[in-house]
């Protein structure tokens, strides 16, 4: 099959796993031809390590005749500008999460892509991993009957105790919902379908936080965004969901995601990862059953490479998009799905601020199961 050629913009923290996986486990299906970063040394180092051509600017890369898809792994506030440049140059683009910071930007990006007949894809792609795909299969095969409700919890105490520069998590575009919500909401939409309306309550646990990680230990951060957000989701299917994302919780024993059906309950593994334990308990059963994962060879914990391969499939979303373009079929980690998730996250914050329900204007198809 013809291989799509990828150009990467942004050689930061997350780029390592993309470079490894797109040249490694997905290397037979996709080819990285160029990369760039504002910080020249980063681009040159990666170019040397992976034998890929480094170009000077994102503008050079998006206009290159050797690039079909731009992989945009810059920080969220740069997603729109880089993606629009790609689309204007007639290139497909795949953004890291969130699709863009603002709904208006994301809508403009999708409109421009449609006008230029190019595709938009976006992370997260963890819902294409063995864990959530196993849950999808169980739901689609009716093991819990008809899903009637779901709950999701992302509870932690923020990132200032480990991240070297954590301030952005507490500024516009940050907060626990925009940081981690894409993983949880993408998983929920993949499992239960689109959402029609949301409500929510968002609070700030502390007006100021103190960094305890190095090198900024002792520095105060003024918190500008809500850090505990409770949302209610009405799915088009009739199911009702609850999601709590928080940077104000020291400890908790809540599950990641549970789906409640007319015939049983399904425990979904951490949607931030590609696999994990899937547990099912059907009505009248006394115990939970751990369900073998689909898409996986038997695990061998002694084989580290195998464990890594099975556990981190980052890049599967853009690989699926590349193949979908060649095959002329829809890709799974789509711009429409990412836009719907972005609108849900903003809608929960709007509902809290305005004291009303927020009716979703967007919708999307459930991506096809693997
Ligand atoms: N770091 C993680 O663990 C992680 C995990 C999941 C998702 N993500 C997502 O990945 C994306 C990148 O995160 P990161 O942690 O790698 O950020 P980062 O700050 O480490 O790296 C971003 C890089 O993009 C470069 N850049 C920005 N604008 C550019 C432009 N116009 N042209 C060329 N280079 C440009 C910066 O110089 C920087 O090197 C974000 O969307 C984030 O949400 C990160």
């Amino acid at each position: 099959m013809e291989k799509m050629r990828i150009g990467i913009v942004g050689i930061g923290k997350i780029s390592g796993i993309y470079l490894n996986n797109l040249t490694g486990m997905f290397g037979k299906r996709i080819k990285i031809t160029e990369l760039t970063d504002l910080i020249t040394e980063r681009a040159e180092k990666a170019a040397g390590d992976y034998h890929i051509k480094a170009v000077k600017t994102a503008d050079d890369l998006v206009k290159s005749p050797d690039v079909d898809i731009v992989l945009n792994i810059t920080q969220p506030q740069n997603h729109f500008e880089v993606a629009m440049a790609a689309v204007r140059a007639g290139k497909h683009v795949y953004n890291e999460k969130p699709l863009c910071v603002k709904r208006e930007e994301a809508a403009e990006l999708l409109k421009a892509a449609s006008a230029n007949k190019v595709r938009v894809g976006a992370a997260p792609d963890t819902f294409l991993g063995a864990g959530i795909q196993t849950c999808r299969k169980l739901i689609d095969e009716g093991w819990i009957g008809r899903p009637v409700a779901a709950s999701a919890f992302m509870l932690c105490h923020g990132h200032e105790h480990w991240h070297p520069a954590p301030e952005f998590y507490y500024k516009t575009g940050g907060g626990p919902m925009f940081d981690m919500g894409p993983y949880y909401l993408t998983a929920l939409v993949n499992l239960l379908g689109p959402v029609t309306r949301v409500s929510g309550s968002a609070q700030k646990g502390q007006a100021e936080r103190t960094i305890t990680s190095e090198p900024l230990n002792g520095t105060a951060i003024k918190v500008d965004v809500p850090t505990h957000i409770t949302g209610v989701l009405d799915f088009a299917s009739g199911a009702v969901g609850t999601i709590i994302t928080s940077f104000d919780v020291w400890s908790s024993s809540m599950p990641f995601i549970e789906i409640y059906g007319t015939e049983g309950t399904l425990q979904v593994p951490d949607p931030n990862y590609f696999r994990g334990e899937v547990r099912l308990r059907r009505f009248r059963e006394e115990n939970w059953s751990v369900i073998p994962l689909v898409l996986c060879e038997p695990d061998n914990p002694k084989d580290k490479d195998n464990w890594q391969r099975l556990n981190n499939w980052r890049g599967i979303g853009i690989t699926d998009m590349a193949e979908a373009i060649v095959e002329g079929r829809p890709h799974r980690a789509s711009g429409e799905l990412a836009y719907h998730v972005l609108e849900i996250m903003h809608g929960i914050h709007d509902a809290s601020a305005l004291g009303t329900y927020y009716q979703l204007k967007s919708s999307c198809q459930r991506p096809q199961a693997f």
Side-chain angles (χ1 to χ4, degrees):
M1 186 166 68
E2 179 196 343
K3 268 193 208 173
M4 297 296 274
R5 298 160 306 167
I6 313 297
I8 305 183
V9 182
I11 304 297
K13 223 169 167 25
I14 199 68
S15 66
I17 187 69
Y18 275 106
L19 284 159
N20 275 340
N21 286 356
L22 297 183
T23 56
M25 74 167 92
F26 300 123
K28 286 203 178 93
R29 299 157 64 180
I30 205 166
K31 183 176 169 59
I32 308 176
T33 46
E34 294 185 8
L35 53 80
T36 190
D37 197 289
L38 290 175
I39 303 169
T40 315
E41 306 82 71
R42 290 187 178 177
E44 281 170 1
K45 166 96 177 52
D49 289 349
Y50 291 91
H51 311 290
I52 295 164
K53 182 178 165 193
V55 295
K56 283 217 172 79
T57 67
D59 199 47
D60 294 335
L61 186 138
V62 301
K63 289 181 179 153
S64 166
D66 296 326
V67 168
D68 303 308
I69 306 178
V70 174
L71 173 57
N72 178 10
I73 45 176
T74 60
Q75 296 101 336
Q77 65 272 21
N78 308 118
H79 285 182
F80 175 64
E81 189 190 334
V82 171
M84 277 302 276
V87 164
R88 286 196 186 110
K91 301 294 161 66
H92 309 286
V93 66
Y94 183 97
N95 280 6
E96 244 303 335
K97 58 86 190 162
L99 178 57
C100 294
V101 172
K102 296 183 185 159
R103 272 167 290 196
E104 302 74 33
E105 293 173 339
E108 194 181 330
L109 174 65
L110 294 190
K111 201 170 155 201
S114 166
N116 283 12
K117 298 192 170 35
V118 292
R119 298 209 193 185
V120 176
D125 53 4
T126 43
F127 76 95
L128 300 175
I132 295 171
Q133 287 295 314
T134 301
C135 296
R136 171 73 184 261
K137 186 168 193 287
L138 291 168
I139 290 176
D140 289 357
E141 288 179 355
W143 287 85
I144 59 165
R146 180 174 50 82
V148 294
S151 58
F153 302 95
M154 196 301 294
L155 308 175
C156 71
H157 211 273
H159 301 306
E160 64 274 24
H161 56 283
W162 67 271
H163 198 286
E167 194 169 2
F168 75 96
Y169 285 111
Y170 302 99
K171 301 294 172 190
T172 304
M177 182 59 85
F178 290 104
D179 178 39
M180 294 300 289
Y183 296 102
Y184 287 75
L185 291 166
T186 305
L188 285 171
V189 172
N190 172 58
L191 294 173
L192 300 176
V195 171
T196 53
R197 80 174 181 174
V198 297
S199 65
S201 221
Q203 291 295 338
K204 199 189 290 180
Q206 293 166 264
E208 194 176 282
R209 301 171 80 114
T210 305
I211 300 177
T212 54
S213 61
E214 297 301 340
L216 300 171
N217 197 347
T219 310
I221 303 176
K222 185 174 163 289
V223 179
D224 290 346
V225 293
T227 48
H228 188 98
I229 297 120
T230 301
V232 174
L233 317 165
D234 290 359
F235 290 87
S237 67
V240 176
T242 316
I243 180 167
I244 305 180
T245 61
S246 184
F247 285 163
D248 289 320
V249 175
W250 281 116
S251 46
S252 155
S253 49
M254 302 307 279
F256 296 105
I257 297 178
E258 285 185 342
I259 312 286
Y260 312 109
T262 50
E263 293 178 24
T265 296
L266 178 64
Q267 279 188 344
V268 179
D270 187 346
N272 191 16
Y273 295 98
F274 289 83
R275 69 190 302 223
E277 199 164 87
V278 172
R279 302 194 334 145
L280 172 72
R281 189 162 164 190
R282 284 171 50 77
F283 71 113
R284 297 203 192 107
E285 282 178 356
E286 287 188 10
N287 295 307
W288 291 92
S289 302
V290 175
I291 307 298
L293 301 185
V294 297
L295 305 170
C296 266
E297 297 152 31
D299 204 350
N300 175 1
K302 286 188 189 144
D303 177 354
K304 191 165 165 284
D305 290 341
N306 188 41
W307 187 91
Q308 285 287 4
R309 188 165 60 77
L310 290 171
N311 277 277
N312 199 338
W313 294 354
R314 200 175 286 267
I316 195 171
I318 188 173
T319 304
D320 174 65
M321 176 165 144
E323 290 179 343
I325 292 167
V326 175
E327 292 164 12
R329 62 168 170 83
H331 57 287
R332 293 173 171 89
S334 69
E336 286 69 25
L337 171 60
Y339 180 76
H340 189 55
V341 165
L342 184 69
E343 196 192 4
I344 294 170
M345 297 192 294
H346 277 289
I348 291 171
H349 286 81
D350 286 3
S352 174
L354 299 170
T356 59
Y357 276 101
Y358 175 92
Q359 300 285 342
L360 271 286
K361 293 169 195 73
S362 67
S363 188
C364 65
Q365 298 283 329
R366 283 170 96 202
Q368 204 181 3
F370 260 135

